[in-house]
Amino acid sequence: MNGKATTTRTRLERGRSALGPALELVHTGRAPTRAVLTAELGVTRATAGAVAAELEALGLIQVDSRPAAAGSQGRPSHRLAVNDTGPVALAAQVHADGYRAALVGLGGEIVATDPGCVIVSADPAQVLGEVVDAGAALLKGTGRRCVGAGLAVPSAVAEPEGTALNPLHLAWPAGSPVRQIFAERVRAAGITGPAFTGNDVNLAALAEHRHGAGRGAKDLLCVATGHRGVGGALVLDGRLHSGSSGLALEVGHLTVNPDGRP
């Protein structure tokens, strides 16, 4: 192995632990150039270059080395963007008025979506099986590589069990093991990657923080009055604040004064 290849490998080994953080920075738009990536990661320019090259080789990002526009100061920095033909995640949502499945790429782009249905069975296993089947059909139609699946449900989801404590609007039994059921259906459909289930407003808050109204903010309060009831979620210092058992900010089910106004 020549000296240049050895140096490149050494730089990548030093920055390998930064691959995940680097991808998140590009994925959320906080590192549009290699110079910004270098500063955000706190590594050398060479290490950041090796990390960006590895992410590009994995098909996750695109590195544009064309020089900056005329008149710019300093050495031009390579531009970074997510690979719009890269892997996707299966995103599913179940609510009182139906369900929906979609494939979402890096950067939050919706690649494909299924219209879902307008009637939700009282059997969570049946509903989750249908929504996963819809997602599997989307994957087959697009031919994209799937790296995981996520499910949003209109219920507090207890941690670490992943049970839906109060799926009142779905007529599902309290304590339904939705995370276990969803993961089993995902595996049975041949979809690779981890499967996660969470409260719909919590997941909406994370999405708004990364790609929407809260982008660039350190903290975010989200209050949802969507399909039925009131939901809340809180992002503190870039992380979802869910409490010790996943029930923080369940504002729609909090009694402040038993004798107060409704």
Side-chain angles (χ1 to χ4, degrees):
M1 180 179 294
N2 60 41
K4 183 177 180 180
T6 301
T7 301
T8 300
R9 170 172 286 186
T10 301
R11 288 170 179 165
L12 180 56
E13 289 300 328
R14 290 174 181 168
R16 192 168 294 280
S17 62
L19 286 174
L23 179 59
E24 181 176 352
L25 287 168
V26 179
H27 163 65
T28 55
R30 285 149 50 208
T33 67
R34 200 170 72 181
V36 176
L37 181 67
T38 301
E40 289 287 339
L41 293 178
V43 298
T44 66
R45 181 185 298 174
T47 297
V51 170
E54 176 71 2
L55 291 175
E56 185 178 36
L58 293 171
L60 300 175
I61 71 171
Q62 295 174 326
V63 180
D64 187 349
S65 59
R66 289 178 296 177
S72 61
Q73 299 295 319
R75 182 178 178 181
S77 180
H78 294 180
R79 290 185 287 270
L80 307 177
V82 296
N83 187 344
D84 55 12
T85 62
V88 296
L90 167 60
Q93 180 183 19
V94 178
H95 50 78
D97 302 317
Y99 66 72
R100 184 183 181 193
L103 302 183
V104 183
L106 291 169
E109 176 193 7
I110 296 179
V111 175
T113 185
D114 183 279
C117 74
V118 295
I119 299 176
V120 176
S121 166
D123 179 5
Q126 178 180 338
V127 178
L128 298 187
E130 291 176 358
V131 74
V132 169
D133 287 345
L138 291 176
L139 285 169
K140 184 177 181 181
T142 60
R144 300 285 282 269
R145 178 167 66 94
C146 186
V147 293
L151 170 69
V153 294
S155 166
V157 178
E159 298 294 346
E161 300 87 355
T163 55
L165 294 182
N166 56 342
L168 306 176
H169 307 308
L170 299 178
W172 289 357
S176 296
V178 289
R179 186 172 298 165
Q180 176 185 341
I181 296 172
F182 183 63
E184 290 174 350
R185 294 298 186 273
V186 166
R187 286 194 298 269
I191 299 174
T192 58
F196 179 79
T197 301
N199 171 260
D200 52 3
V201 184
N202 281 348
L203 300 182
L206 285 176
E208 289 293 344
H209 184 261
R210 293 175 180 174
H211 302 291
R215 185 170 174 173
K218 185 177 180 181
D219 306 319
L220 172 70
L221 170 65
C222 178
V223 178
T225 58
H227 296 286
R228 299 179 190 179
V230 179
L234 187 62
V235 176
L236 295 177
D237 197 19
R239 294 181 177 273
L240 180 69
H241 176 69
S242 56
S244 60
S245 56
L247 307 180
L249 266 290
E250 282 292 323
V251 294
H253 308 281
L254 178 66
T255 300
V256 178
N257 180 0
D259 299 320
R261 62 182 182 179

